[in-house]
Amino acid sequence: MILHKCYLKGHANVDWEDITSDGKGTFYLADIGNNLNDRRSASILSFSGREAFLRDTVSVTYFNFCYRDWE
């Protein structure tokens, strides 16, 4: 059962792989999948879990990176 949907502002699901939280209310989402081997970068997205449950859209802080063999 879906209780609430929340969108991450400016970030569509490319290939989200995992999600975790830090115990202080911040969630981290790993946008790191590369099943088709066509990506050259990946991201870790962080956002407020509290905001995600209260709002339909939340702002995201993101960290881009690439794997050495993606260069």
Side-chain angles (χ1 to χ4, degrees):
M1 173 188 331
I2 297 172
L3 299 178
H4 179 75
K5 288 184 181 182
C6 180
Y7 296 92
L8 305 181
K9 189 180 292 184
H11 292 278
N13 183 343
V14 175
D15 197 351
W16 295 352
E17 295 287 334
D18 205 356
I19 189 168
T20 190
S21 69
D22 62 7
K24 298 177 185 175
T26 301
F27 282 77
Y28 300 90
L29 196 149
D31 187 4
I32 60 173
N34 194 18
N35 294 339
L36 300 176
N37 201 29
D38 60 353
R39 294 181 74 179
R40 295 296 167 248
S41 67
S43 300
I44 301 295
L45 312 174
S46 69
F47 58 94
S48 166
R50 177 172 166 73
E51 292 292 315
F53 285 104
L54 294 175
R55 302 183 188 279
D56 294 333
T57 304
V58 294
S59 296
V60 174
T61 300
Y62 60 97
F63 311 93
N64 287 329
F65 65 94
C66 67
Y67 296 110
R68 185 175 297 187
D69 62 345
W70 285 9
E71 297 180 273

